[in-house]
């Protein structure tokens, strides 16, 4: 959620220091516990979804090459921003179709997280049950992204987390939460 849409923020004590395509950086005058005036700095961005498509035996991840991440393909989940007024499960359905050309039987938020307390946004972790290729999908991805599917047996997911194959902590945590929610 961008700075201008944040509930409960006193606008009169807020200064937007930077407004970017993905993040806003804001400064807010406040008081510390001793009552002294301080300037707090934080980032704000739109809420996002992380999508974990699963069938009876597998989880569908992606290998992604992104600018700024070097030439190595990074193992991740399908993810993307939630558009204003959009529900997390609708965003998950849209992102899965856009990035991999996949549809699913059902979508359910199984966890919500705040990855950093200084970066104000919520990540909705969504399980997509019964994934399959769409018959009329046109894959779309950001020109700065290269994405390919990576399907793994559910019984190997924990090893991917512990052997370092999953480089982003929030994805590793999300995968472990997914396994617990599936009772594996």
């Amino acid at each position: 959620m961008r700075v201008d849409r944040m509930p409960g923020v006193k606008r009169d004590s807020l200064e937007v220091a930077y407004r970017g395509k993905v993040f806003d950086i804001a400064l807010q005058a406040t008081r510390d516990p001793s009552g002294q005036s301080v300037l707090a700095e934080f980032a704000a961005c739109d809420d996002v979804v992380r999508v974990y498509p699963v069938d009876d035996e597998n989880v569908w991840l992606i290998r992604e090459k992104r600018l700024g991440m070097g030439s190595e393909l990074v193992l991740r989940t399908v993810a993307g921003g939630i558009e204003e007024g959009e529900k997390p499960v609708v965003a998950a359905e849209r992102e899965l179709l856009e990035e991999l050309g996949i549809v699913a039987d059902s979508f359910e938020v199984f966890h919500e997280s705040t990855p950093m307390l200084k970066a104000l946004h919520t990540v909705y972790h969504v399980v997509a049950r019964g994934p399959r290729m769409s018959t009329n999908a046109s894959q779309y991805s950001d020109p700065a992204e290269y994405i390919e599917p990576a399907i793994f047996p559910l019984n190997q997911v924990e090893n991917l987390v512990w052997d370092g194959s999953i480089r982003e902590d929030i994805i590793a945590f999300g995968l472990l939460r997914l396994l617990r929610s599936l009772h594996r």
Side-chain angles (χ1 to χ4, degrees):
M1 147 181 1
R2 300 308 281 260
V3 170
D4 54 351
R5 287 185 262 162
M6 292 174 46
V9 172
K10 295 178 184 173
R11 304 280 185 263
D12 58 340
S13 65
L14 182 72
E15 174 190 343
V16 178
Y18 172 78
R19 188 174 300 280
K21 184 177 176 182
V22 176
F23 292 98
D24 294 343
I25 304 295
L27 305 170
Q28 185 171 26
T30 188
R31 298 206 177 275
D32 70 11
S34 71
Q36 192 155 339
S37 181
V38 294
L39 197 57
E41 180 179 307
F42 59 90
C45 63
D46 292 330
D47 292 343
V48 299
V49 291
R50 291 211 167 274
V51 189
Y52 304 79
V54 296
D55 57 29
D56 291 338
E57 299 175 6
N58 301 298
V59 62
W60 301 34
L61 301 176
I62 59 174
R63 292 189 193 283
E64 184 173 22
K65 181 178 177 181
R66 295 192 62 142
L67 292 176
M69 299 283 292
S71 61
E72 178 184 346
L73 292 177
V74 180
L75 194 56
R76 333 184 57 229
T77 61
V78 166
I82 299 173
E83 296 173 3
E84 192 169 351
E86 189 176 40
K87 301 281 186 205
V89 293
V90 173
E93 186 174 1
R94 176 181 47 77
E95 288 293 338
L96 193 57
L97 186 61
E98 286 176 357
E99 292 193 5
L100 286 179
I102 291 174
V103 295
D105 295 332
S106 66
F107 293 82
E108 178 187 352
V109 174
F110 68 90
H111 184 63
E112 295 177 25
S113 63
T114 304
M116 271 181 58
L117 297 180
K118 291 278 189 178
L120 306 177
H121 73 291
T122 300
V123 177
Y124 295 89
H125 301 264
V126 179
V127 61
R129 290 186 173 86
R132 63 195 175 285
M133 296 306 293
S134 173
T135 56
N136 60 356
S138 59
Q139 276 184 268
Y140 166 80
S141 50
D142 186 309
E145 297 175 326
Y146 168 80
I147 297 172
E148 62 184 41
I151 301 171
F152 292 93
L154 285 165
N155 64 8
Q156 291 181 13
V157 168
E158 199 169 331
N159 291 338
L160 293 172
V161 169
W162 299 120
D163 73 10
S165 295
I166 307 294
R167 292 177 45 191
E168 293 176 79
D169 292 347
I170 191 161
I171 296 172
F173 179 74
L175 285 166
L176 294 175
R177 293 288 302 228
L178 173 70
L179 290 178
R180 178 171 280 181
S181 75
L182 298 173
H183 306 294
R184 293 187 178 251

